[in-house]
Amino acid sequence: MPEMNSGQPDTVNKAQEAPQQSDHELLEQILQEQKKTAAAQKAAAAAGWCIAAILFFCAVFLLPKASAVMRDVQDTALAAQNTLNNIDAIMKDVDTLVADNSGNLTNAVTKISEIDFDRLNDSIKALSDVVSPLAKLFGH
């Protein structure tokens, strides 16, 4: 709260203590203040126009490019998703193939392991001994 001196606010006391200015001096002070205010308003207007120009540049040049980039990213993501779906389908097919043929493969390995190769070699030799005189008979 302003300080009271002789019942009046402090600002009134200072105004009464200050020397009286002429109308010309007051007008000059007002003119100086208006010039300062006008300069500040011009600076603010220039800054506003710069911001507007930057926003216009972004809207005209950068937004279409950003939109095109986003479409490309979306297309690439869609292609990647389709590829992943295809890989999933292939893996399901491989799983099915392995599951369907695991029994056959196990049987084949079991049969191969049961072969008596010594006896097989003996049989092949015996067959060769029988076929060889016949081959000589027919001229081979």
Side-chain angles (χ1 to χ4, degrees), residues 5-6 45 82 86 95 128 140:
N5 188 9
S6 68
N82 289 338
N86 291 340
D95 286 344
S128 175
H140 287 299

Side-chain angles (χ1 to χ4, degrees), residues 65-82:
K65 289 180 182 179
S67 177
V69 167
M70 290 305 294
R71 278 192 303 271
D72 290 345
V73 167
Q74 186 177 10
D75 292 344
T76 303
L78 184 61
Q81 183 63 42
N82 289 338

Side-chain angles (χ1 to χ4, degrees), residues 5 17 20 36 45 54 61-63 67 75 77 110 114 133 139:
N5 188 9
E17 293 172 1
Q20 293 295 323
K36 288 178 186 176
I54 290 170
F61 296 107
L62 297 180
L63 287 179
S67 177
D75 292 344
T110 303
E114 291 175 353

Side-chain angles (χ1 to χ4, degrees), residues 66-120:
S67 177
V69 167
M70 290 305 294
R71 278 192 303 271
D72 290 345
V73 167
Q74 186 177 10
D75 292 344
T76 303
L78 184 61
Q81 183 63 42
N82 289 338
T83 301
L84 289 174
N85 290 341
N86 291 340
I87 289 172
D88 285 343
I90 290 170
M91 292 309 295
K92 286 178 185 176
D93 290 343
V94 168
D95 286 344
T96 302
L97 179 69
V98 169
D100 290 347
N101 293 313
S102 65
N104 294 335
L105 189 58
T106 303
N107 288 339
V109 169
T110 303
K111 296 286 184 187
I112 290 172
S113 68
E114 291 175 353
I115 294 175
D116 184 3
F117 287 102
D118 291 332
R119 207 165 143 200
L120 179 62

Side-chain angles (χ1 to χ4, degrees), residues 42-60 62:
K42 285 180 183 179
W49 279 107
C50 288
I51 290 171
I54 290 170
L55 291 176
F56 178 76
F57 174 78
C58 289
V60 170
L62 297 180

